[in-house]
Amino acid sequence: MQARRGRRVPSLRALPFLFIVAALLGLLPLLHSHGLQHMLTSEPPYRDPAVLSAIEPGDVTAAPPDVSQEIRPLTNHSSPGHSKPRKAFPVLGIDYTHVRIPFEISLWILLACLMKLGFHVIPSVSNIVPESCLLIVVGLLVGGLIKGVGESPPILKSDIFFLFLLPPIILDAGYFLPLRQFTENLGTILIFAVVGTLWNAFFLGGLMYAVCQISGTGLNHIGLLANLLFGSIISAVDPVAVLAVFEEIHINELLHILVFGESLLNDAVTVVLYHLFEEYANFDQVTVTDIVLGFLSFFVVSLGGVFVGVVYGVIAAFTSRFTSHIRVIEPLFVFLYSYMAYLSAELFHLSGIMALIASGVVMRPYVEANISHKSHTTIKYFLKMWSSVSETLIFIFLGVSTVAGQHYWNWTFVISTLIFCLIARVLGVLGLTWFINKFRIVKLTPKDQFIIAYGGLRGAIAFSLGYLLDYEHFGMRDMFLTAIITVIFFTVFVQGMTIRPLVDLLAVKKKQETKRSINEEIHTQFLDHLLTGIEDICGHYGHHHWKDKLNRFNKKYMKKCLIAGERSKEPQLIAFYHKMEMKQAIELVESGGLGKIPSAISTVSMQNINPKALPVERILPALSKDKEEEIRKILRNNLQKTRQRLRSYNRHTLVADPYEEAWNQMLLRRQKARQLEQKMNNFLTVPSHKLDSPTMSRARIGSDPLAYEPKSDSENLPIITIDPASPQSPESVDLVNEELKGMSRLPPSPEEEEEEGLVMHVKESSSPGTDDVFTPGAGDSPSNQRMMRCLSDPGPRPDPEEGEPFIPKGQ
Amino acid sequence: MRDGLSELPPIRDPQSGADHAGDGLKYDLQGIGALAVNPLGDRIINAFFREGEEFTDFRAFMRVLARFRPVEEGKSKETGYPEPMNSRLSKLQFAFQLYDQDSDGKISRAEMLQVLRLMVGIQVTDEQLACIADRTIQEADQDGDGAISFEEFATSVEKLNIEQRMSLRMLK
């Protein structure tokens, strides 16, 4: 046993290494050919045909197309009348230029994904070293490899970074932002983001200028404004790095949202400062007007960004209202509108990050109410996937760019930058927390402050901003870049690696993993109402008052416009409850809990009922293992056949998945069973309640708790009915058939119902009244029937005819 | 805007003590528009008044508001002293009382249903609410008596940041 395990392990361990080596080796011939192609195209166009033909068969390059083009003018010389020399028809040819760019991009992304895969297969390393560090190391290796081959490795260009790599990460963060914690701590976050970043920038810039003035360092030529520019680039906390490190340490939500929120909101400050100093760095003076304009510009940039985001968010929510017929492209709307918001903000030099966050936050509640469950899952997974890949690529490219870039190492500059960065951060956090704690209800402890200061990581945004500087105005750009990279490496490696043991050492509260329960939701809303009321009594327009006002405005106007159909009136608590139930039902199906519905129900309730009078519905007993297997086999076979019988595949409509049908039914069944159980308990302990018109009115209004499900065309698709028990026994449920039957039944007249009081209609159907809020399809009949049966006195007066009152009047 | 405090000008003066002229009238509190729209408005108002009384005095009024003062950090836990009015425990007790109208020490299913009905409005059917109420009690109930006692209530809200949620900054 031991020996076998021992032998197996090394081969498993070797696997990721093989992956990595294979990936790296795969790059080599590529680059080799890449290099050779450069060589060829740089040669003069007119060449001896003999030389060309010699090169041709030997090299695995993209030479043939170039060569054939070049041959033509030459051969026109030598043999007029022939356009091309006759050669054998190429059975196999290589044309690399054609696919070069997409091929290389795909290869890089594949490398990133393989790296991620590798790190998770070897858990021991990733426990000590955060993923971001490992990725930078990989980037360094790859960069070194490429350089070793003789190629120049690609540098992380700012365009690619800002336009393609950064948005997915920010959108993912913004769409899933925990709004409640964010708004509760918004004041704190804003102060850290704005004042903190300003302090960092000026403190660092000023000190660096002082350092530069020291003679003997050779840095005298760097002016004050250039230093301030450098300070503003390096002082911003980076959201990518913070996310990458904080995700792994599972710190409590307050600290997470404080540091993360700060990293998001400081973008506006960074943008303004960067542009301001860049404009004026070469003029050694900044006038008062410039400062005032800069101040104004800050407000324009941040509020403008938010405004753009909100506009796009509302448009997206409005669009999603109409997508009920084309569910497949719903996720695209979310992505495209958010990306457009980002690009539009960047167009006007507004803060793109804030636009992206604002649009995600605004559109989310409405979009989620409108789209199908599948689209929601799609959006979630796509965002996670893109942001994950983006993050990996960014770190790898950071490593590669380090190797690739030209560096200018100046000990004084770099070391002093590093030291002053740390000092500035610590002082800033301490000072601001002292100020903020005067206003906070729950103060920030010194432990919290330490984590906030320690979590101020710098990352790729700083690098890209530095890269954007052009050489003619900023000759010391290389030195800046070197210093920036050093700081980034230090924060990511040293701080990233040590933060986890420090968190454990200081016993900082960790994130609680449990899901939100219905209790918490109810109590949270309760407390919100309570506090709003108390605030109203005091006449104090506090936090709760405005939140309440916003909620009311939301309910009254926004929801009506932006949410399709009936869901616009659904209270928040109910939506939450539905979501929870849905999740649980899915979990139940996935864990195979098909046969766990208690059979006690059948014995108690059904005994007293005449089998003949029994309606279509029966109850599933607990199934034995073989029966379960049988069912599964039947399902599998039938479902396969069904798929072939369905309508022709239409790209525009999602064919309703039979599995989703099974899920829905599982959900229904489970809910009914639970309701039934509860009712049974009530019935057994408590005598029958008096239920006359409430019952009827309940039936009338329709109690389908699944109203928000997308209306699947169940009528058109053949539906599989599961009937494990024999038809004679009253013990199997056949909900599906009953759906179809229930819909075709005529409703009894209302006056009749009222007069009879408690009437047990064996086959009850949709209500006579037309104030159905939801279409009473699936769930209505069986639940009502069962409920009515259980809650009434089940004294059996066996009634042979269906449709007659189960219990005669007067009982 | 009419608010509670402006309704009681004569008794805001601490020297005057409790006197009948200008006593806080339940009727006045009910006249506050925002409270009328608040789902829990009636319950909140009733919390200021003792059973069946129509008048309250300044001290009782302040006693309720004192619950909402922010918790003071760093104060050593002095055993033997009565529990301060703004501690987490007192806040929770106040919230519990608002649920538990008949003061039997438990939130029964009927009481939970009442609260849910207040908060959710008229759109939802009784059956749905019953489901939710049952589910809520099922989740919180640890001793299986079908009702939520104070301890169970305290456990189910321990993840909520009660000290922050139930505090008004202006009352410091």
Side-chain angles (χ1 to χ4, degrees):
Chain A
M1 212 35 163
Q2 286 281 355
R4 212 169 352 129
R5 213 182 296 153
R7 248 180 280 140
R8 227 190 295 156
V9 168
S11 63
L12 269 182
R13 284 247 184 90
L15 210 55
F17 287 122
L18 287 177
F19 268 137
I20 298 174
V21 173
L24 293 176
L25 283 178
L27 285 172
L28 275 175
L30 205 71
L31 302 161
H32 189 61
S33 65
H34 182 64
L36 276 171
Q37 202 208 346
H38 272 311
M39 214 168 64
L40 274 172
T41 50
S42 63
E43 291 204 21
Y46 289 104
R47 275 174 282 170
D48 196 23
V51 178
L52 284 168
S53 53
I55 299 178
E56 205 180 311
D59 292 340
V60 179
T61 67
D66 297 336
V67 171
S68 60
Q69 281 175 15
E70 285 154 86
I71 288 182
R72 234 185 290 132
L74 291 165
T75 50
N76 274 339
H77 259 289
S78 49
S79 45
H82 286 289
S83 53
K84 260 199 305 193
R86 189 180 169 77
K87 53 179 169 58
F89 184 76
V91 176
L92 197 64
I94 291 189
D95 183 4
Y96 182 59
T97 40
H98 188 61
V99 295
R100 192 180 138 230
I101 294 179
F103 194 81
E104 288 187 350
I105 295 176
S106 306
L107 214 60
W108 278 110
I109 298 180
L110 195 60
L111 176 70
C113 300
L114 287 174
M115 289 304 112
K116 256 187 131 56
L117 196 70
F119 297 145
H120 284 281
V121 175
I122 324 174
S124 53
V125 185
S126 57
N127 274 340
I128 312 171
V129 186
E131 228 175 77
S132 39
C133 304
L134 290 172
L135 289 169
I136 294 187
V137 169
V138 167
L140 287 172
L141 283 176
V142 172
L145 207 67
I146 299 181
K147 216 172 193 177
V149 176
E151 274 303 305
S152 61
I155 300 190
L156 181 62
K157 289 210 190 28
S158 300
D159 282 346
I160 301 181
F161 176 74
F162 279 117
L163 291 181
F164 298 114
L165 290 179
L166 190 60
I169 303 179
I170 306 293
L171 180 60
D172 179 41
Y175 198 76
F176 293 111
L177 197 67
L179 200 56
R180 197 170 252 279
Q181 277 114 348
F182 187 72
T183 47
E184 276 175 10
N185 294 304
L186 193 59
T188 315
I189 294 177
L190 275 177
I191 291 185
F192 273 126
V194 176
V195 181
T197 312
L198 282 174
W199 157 260
N200 275 351
F202 282 102
F203 184 77
L204 190 69
L207 278 182
M208 289 312 296
Y209 180 62
V211 164
C212 287
Q213 296 303 100
I214 300 174
S215 59
T217 54
L219 298 168
N220 286 355
H221 56 284
I222 308 178
L224 174 66
L225 286 173
N227 274 308
L228 284 177
L229 176 62
F230 177 71
S232 67
I233 294 177
I234 196 102
S235 61
V237 177
D238 186 75
V240 180
V242 164
L243 258 181
V245 169
F246 270 53
E247 281 259 308
E248 299 186 3
I249 59 179
H250 298 298
I251 206 160
N252 68 36
E253 288 168 344
L254 173 68
L255 287 177
H256 183 100
I257 197 72
L258 281 179
V259 182
F260 184 60
E262 180 196 342
S263 68
L264 288 176
L265 294 186
N266 67 14
D267 181 61
V269 182
T270 312
V271 165
V272 169
L273 281 180
Y274 181 80
H275 283 124
L276 187 69
F277 290 130
E278 199 200 356
E279 278 289 313
Y280 299 116
N282 291 324
F283 315 101
D284 259 326
Q285 260 194 339
V286 178
T287 62
V288 184
T289 18
D290 294 327
I291 297 183
V292 170
L293 283 177
F295 194 64
L296 267 180
S297 139
F298 166 70
F299 284 108
V300 168
V301 162
S302 50
L303 294 176
V306 171
F307 176 71
V308 168
V310 166
V311 165
Y312 273 100
V314 169
I315 298 179
F318 190 66
T319 314
S320 73
R321 187 181 165 179
F322 302 108
T323 56
S324 47
H325 299 290
I326 311 185
R327 294 272 181 200
V328 268
I329 57 174
E330 273 171 345
L332 259 187
F333 282 119
V334 172
F335 301 140
L336 285 175
Y337 276 116
S338 310
Y339 194 48
M340 293 279 289
Y342 180 77
L343 294 175
S344 309
E346 289 287 322
L347 179 65
F348 295 107
H349 275 301
L350 304 172
S351 167
I353 290 184
M354 296 186 86
L356 208 49
I357 306 264
S359 79
V361 161
V362 166
M363 75 166 78
R364 185 177 175 203
Y366 308 109
V367 161
E368 287 202 344
N370 283 333
I371 60 178
S372 69
H373 183 71
K374 279 192 186 156
S375 301
H376 172 75
T377 312
T378 309
I379 292 180
K380 187 166 88 161
Y381 276 109
F382 260 84
L383 282 178
K384 296 284 174 209
M385 177 183 83
W386 273 331
S387 69
S388 185
V389 167
S390 255
E391 195 182 293
T392 316
L393 273 177
I394 288 178
F395 282 116
I396 291 185
F397 268 115
L398 260 182
V400 172
S401 309
T402 312
V403 174
Q406 296 151 310
H407 294 289
Y408 181 80
W409 182 272
N410 181 309
W411 278 100
T412 339
F413 194 77
V414 174
I415 300 294
S416 47
T417 307
L418 198 58
I419 299 179
F420 291 140
C421 256
L422 294 173
I423 297 179
R425 176 85 183 152
V426 171
L427 286 179
V429 168
L430 283 177
L432 286 175
T433 319
W434 173 83
F435 177 69
I436 288 171
N437 271 342
K438 292 189 200 282
F439 298 99
R440 274 183 72 91
I441 300 174
V442 177
K443 318 272 184 208
L444 293 173
T445 64
K447 251 196 270 182
D448 294 337
Q449 293 172 33
F450 177 74
I451 297 290
I452 295 176
Y454 209 68
L457 306 171
R458 282 26 175 217
I461 290 187
F463 178 79
S464 306
L465 282 177
Y467 193 78
L468 272 178
L469 299 170
D470 55 13
Y471 270 111
E472 33 179 285
H473 295 307
F474 299 96
M476 70 301 283
R477 176 179 174 267
D478 291 330
M479 191 168 64
F480 282 177
L481 276 179
T482 313
I484 292 174
I485 287 189
T486 315
V487 174
I488 294 178
F489 270 43
F490 183 82
T491 54
V492 172
F493 276 92
V494 175
Q495 287 179 238
M497 270 201 270
T498 53
I499 201 168
R500 196 185 305 187
L502 274 174
V503 161
D504 290 333
L505 194 70
L506 292 174
V508 180
K509 256 195 296 184
K510 294 255 179 131
K511 179 157 73 167
Q512 285 146 335
E513 291 296 344
T514 53
K515 293 180 248 204
R516 208 174 160 79
S517 69
I518 185 94
N519 258 299
E520 287 180 2
E521 183 71 23
I522 292 179
H523 295 316
T524 311
Q525 277 204 16
F526 184 86
L527 289 177
D528 276 343
H529 287 304
L530 172 62
L531 264 289
T532 313
I534 299 280
E535 277 187 4
D536 286 327
I537 290 181
C538 298
H540 166 65
Y541 288 161
H543 181 65
H544 294 270
H545 179 90
W546 294 117
K547 204 158 52 159
D548 192 57
K549 272 221 155 111
L550 186 68
N551 275 337
R552 276 185 213 286
F553 172 73
N554 190 14
K555 221 193 311 194
K556 211 163 160 203
Y557 300 111
M558 304 284 278
K559 279 195 177 173
K560 288 225 179 81
C561 299
L562 299 176
I563 298 184
E566 293 314 322
R567 288 206 76 198
S568 57
K569 300 197 196 80
E570 196 179 49
Q572 192 190 349
L573 206 56
I574 306 297
F576 179 83
Y577 179 68
H578 286 161
K579 241 197 270 185
M580 219 178 45
E581 285 285 289
M582 182 74 168
K583 269 193 215 150
Q584 285 206 339
I586 292 178
E587 279 170 24
L588 195 66
V589 170
E590 280 180 356
S591 67
L594 196 57
K596 290 206 192 107
I597 297 172
S599 55
I601 304 167
S602 54
T603 51
V604 177
S605 66
M606 296 309 154
Q607 273 169 14
N608 299 328
I609 297 172
N610 191 345
K612 242 188 165 191
L614 202 64
V616 200
E617 60 167 26
R618 290 149 279 172
I619 297 180
L620 251 181
L623 297 169
S624 62
K625 269 281 174 185
D626 332 292
K627 279 225 158 166
E628 232 185 85
E629 254 316 298
E630 219 179 274
I631 296 170
R632 293 229 170 114
K633 235 191 335 182
I634 296 174
L635 262 182
R636 230 175 291 138
N637 294 336
N638 281 324
L639 286 175
Q640 279 176 2
K641 288 192 212 133
T642 308
R643 283 222 167 95
Q644 292 158 15
R645 281 184 297 189
L646 292 175
R647 298 178 283 185
S648 62
Y649 179 69
N650 183 353
R651 201 182 287 179
H652 298 291
T653 58
L654 262 182
V655 171
D657 196 345
Y659 283 114
E660 187 169 323
E661 287 299 313
W663 282 6
N664 290 343
Q665 287 168 34
M666 173 51 37
L667 175 62
L668 277 172
R669 222 171 277 163
R670 191 171 159 274
Q671 217 166 27
K672 263 49 168 250
R674 207 162 19 92
Q675 284 174 12
L676 188 57
E677 198 185 356
Q678 295 283 347
K679 303 297 186 297
M680 282 322 302
N681 289 338
N682 282 344
F683 156 69
L684 288 173
T685 56
V686 175
S688 57
H689 303 285
K690 38 163 190 7
L691 293 162
D692 40 10
S693 23
T695 315
M696 293 307 127
S697 64
R698 230 174 291 161
R700 209 164 290 140
I701 294 180
S703 59
D704 185 11
L706 300 174
Y708 79 110
E709 276 301 305
K711 304 187 179 69
S712 49
D713 336 345
S714 47
E715 307 93 336
N716 297 341
L717 292 174
I719 296 175
I720 310 301
T721 63
I722 308 162
D723 197 355
S726 64
Q728 280 78 24
S729 83
E731 303 208 330
S732 51
V733 171
D734 200 354
L735 286 172
V736 180
N737 278 335
E738 152 186 80
E739 279 172 47
L740 299 175
K741 286 192 189 155
M743 285 193 235
S744 54
R745 199 129 312 255
L746 288 172
S749 61
E751 311 89 52
E752 215 180 355
E753 280 188 341
E754 293 280 29
E755 279 167 28
E756 287 168 337
L758 178 59
V759 173
M760 297 307 297
H761 282 282
V762 174
K763 273 199 182 72
E764 199 260 358
S765 70
S766 64
S767 54
T770 49
D771 46 354
D772 283 345
V773 176
F774 313 110
T775 52
D780 204 24
S781 333
S783 80
N784 269 325
Q785 291 184 34
R786 221 186 274 145
M787 178 196 64
M788 289 194 278
R789 196 175 308 117
C790 296
L791 290 170
S792 67
D793 183 0
R797 193 78 75 84
D799 201 310
E801 284 191 47
E802 296 178 340
E804 291 224 356
F806 193 71
I807 295 174
K809 298 180 238 185
Q811 269 205 341
Chain B
M1 176 184 158
R2 291 180 66 192
D3 59 48
L5 282 180
S6 69
E7 291 293 310
L8 316 169
I11 59 172
R12 284 191 80 184
D13 178 6
Q15 268 87 42
S16 65
D19 55 302
H20 281 288
D23 261 348
L25 200 56
K26 198 190 249 190
Y27 177 71
D28 290 327
L29 278 183
Q30 283 166 344
I32 300 175
L35 269 186
V37 197
N38 193 322
L40 300 176
D42 286 328
R43 293 195 181 207
I44 298 175
I45 293 176
N46 288 333
F48 285 95
F49 298 87
R50 274 187 281 271
E51 271 303 311
E53 286 191 12
E54 287 288 311
F55 292 90
T56 189
D57 62 354
F58 189 63
R59 303 196 72 171
F61 186 79
M62 278 298 133
R63 204 167 287 140
V64 173
L65 285 187
R67 305 276 188 153
F68 291 93
R69 284 184 63 214
V71 178
E72 277 136 44
E73 298 250 353
K75 242 190 172 173
S76 58
K77 293 210 169 60
E78 306 145 359
T79 53
Y81 282 94
E83 186 81 19
M85 290 209 77
N86 62 338
S87 73
R88 187 196 166 97
L89 194 64
S90 314
K91 290 184 202 277
L92 282 178
Q93 276 170 344
F94 183 74
F96 190 75
Q97 277 164 20
L98 283 181
Y99 272 106
D100 186 20
Q101 292 285 295
D102 55 8
S103 310
D104 60 354
K106 288 187 194 293
I107 306 177
S108 69
R109 185 171 174 275
E111 285 168 345
M112 180 58 81
L113 263 176
Q114 272 178 1
V115 171
L116 281 174
R117 175 55 73 187
L118 280 177
M119 290 206 292
V120 150
I122 50 169
Q123 293 291 338
V124 184
T125 64
D126 285 338
E127 199 190 49
Q128 271 184 295
L129 271 185
C131 275
I132 299 181
D134 290 331
R135 179 59 190 263
T136 312
I137 296 189
Q138 203 180 37
E139 260 183 17
D141 198 11
Q142 281 147 15
D143 51 13
D145 57 356
I148 306 180
S149 69
F150 180 66
E151 287 75 32
E152 290 160 358
F153 176 73
T155 323
S156 64
V157 297
E158 66 185 354
K159 289 192 206 86
L160 296 178
N161 199 350
I162 295 288
E163 292 95 334
Q164 187 171 12
R165 270 190 218 284
M166 282 188 74
S167 302
L168 288 178
R169 208 172 293 149
M170 60 160 263
L171 291 175
K172 266 211 201 178

